[in-house]
Amino acid sequence: MASSDLQYVQYHSDKEAEYLSAMRQLISHDLSEPYSIYVYRYFLYQWGDLCFMALDAKDNMLGVVVTKLEPHRGGPLRGYIAMLAVKEEHRGKGIATKLVRMAIDVMIERNADEIALETEVTNTPAMKLYERLGFLRSKRLHRYYLNGNSAFRFVLCLKESAATRIGYDDDEDPNHLENPPSA
């Protein structure tokens, strides 16, 4: 399939009946977490305009990214990439990169300070994708997923103020840096 046969579209709530089932099927096939319909609705009802889909010429869903953007613990405006999936036979064609880039661009337009996500430590293609896009590994989360797998948290700092926070653990005082900037 030529990339010209693909269309990238922003999710819109009036298309829920058309897209939600395909989205759930694609994500449940690719991701290890068993998300309920309520998790999808949580993201799509509040931040549907931050969700993007790749469709083929027949409107079959080939890829999707689900994200949100909100203040994090009263501090930075943090974007969050909750779910990203591309049908296996369409991987390696730049679809995931394009979807994530579209979400990042909208978050930048909305003045996000940073964007975070987690991915399984065994998901090398995802880690390479995020690192190519400028994300940095901020910490390892032991046994983070229900299947017992650990995760890496990745953060993309969009503003200098976000970059100074990347070393702290969410459970620690945000003023305490593990790797303070050198003078």
Side-chain angles (χ1 to χ4, degrees):
M1 172 181 297
S3 61
S4 61
D5 294 336
L6 290 177
Q7 58 177 328
Y8 292 89
V9 298
Q10 188 175 42
Y11 176 85
H12 195 276
S13 60
D14 65 355
K15 299 277 193 175
E16 178 178 339
E18 185 177 344
Y19 293 132
L20 185 56
S21 177
M23 187 182 298
R24 289 184 70 198
Q25 186 175 14
L26 178 60
I27 290 170
S28 67
H29 182 266
D30 285 350
L31 301 185
S32 60
E33 293 292 279
Y35 296 112
S36 76
I37 186 70
Y38 303 108
V39 173
Y40 291 93
R41 289 183 174 151
Y42 166 77
F43 286 98
L44 296 174
Y45 287 3
Q46 296 181 79
W47 303 282
D49 57 339
L50 291 173
C51 171
F52 296 91
M53 302 166 292
L55 308 172
D56 68 12
K58 295 180 182 177
D59 280 344
N60 296 309
M61 190 175 298
L62 305 181
V64 63
V65 64
V66 177
T67 69
K68 71 176 185 172
L69 179 64
E70 64 182 355
H72 180 68
R73 297 184 177 206
L77 188 57
R78 176 183 275 184
Y80 181 72
I81 298 175
M83 302 172 222
L84 173 65
V86 174
K87 281 192 173 181
E88 192 169 357
E89 62 270 24
H90 295 282
R91 293 181 188 162
K93 299 177 182 177
I95 294 171
T97 300
K98 173 82 171 171
L99 290 168
V100 172
R101 189 73 243 172
M102 291 172 76
I104 290 170
D105 289 346
V106 172
M107 290 185 215
I108 289 171
E109 288 172 13
R110 295 184 186 175
N111 210 26
D113 295 299
E114 62 191 19
I115 301 170
L117 63 98
E118 294 84 27
T119 190
E120 289 191 39
V121 297
T122 57
N123 193 344
T124 303
M127 291 188 285
K128 287 181 179 179
L129 163 73
Y130 294 121
E131 288 169 344
R132 274 194 319 270
L133 291 170
F135 284 82
L136 302 173
R137 291 183 198 185
S138 69
K139 66 179 171 179
R140 185 181 180 117
L141 305 164
H142 184 66
R143 298 182 57 81
Y144 181 77
Y145 292 103
L146 292 176
N147 64 7
N149 284 353
S150 296
F152 283 118
R153 173 154 307 135
F154 281 79
V155 178
L156 176 64
C157 299
L158 301 171
K159 298 181 180 171
E160 190 173 324
S161 59
T164 61
R165 286 189 298 274
I166 198 168
Y168 80 83
D169 189 348
D170 285 343
D171 299 323
E172 294 180 359
D173 175 1
N175 296 315
H176 170 77
L177 295 177
E178 292 175 3
N179 300 311
S182 52

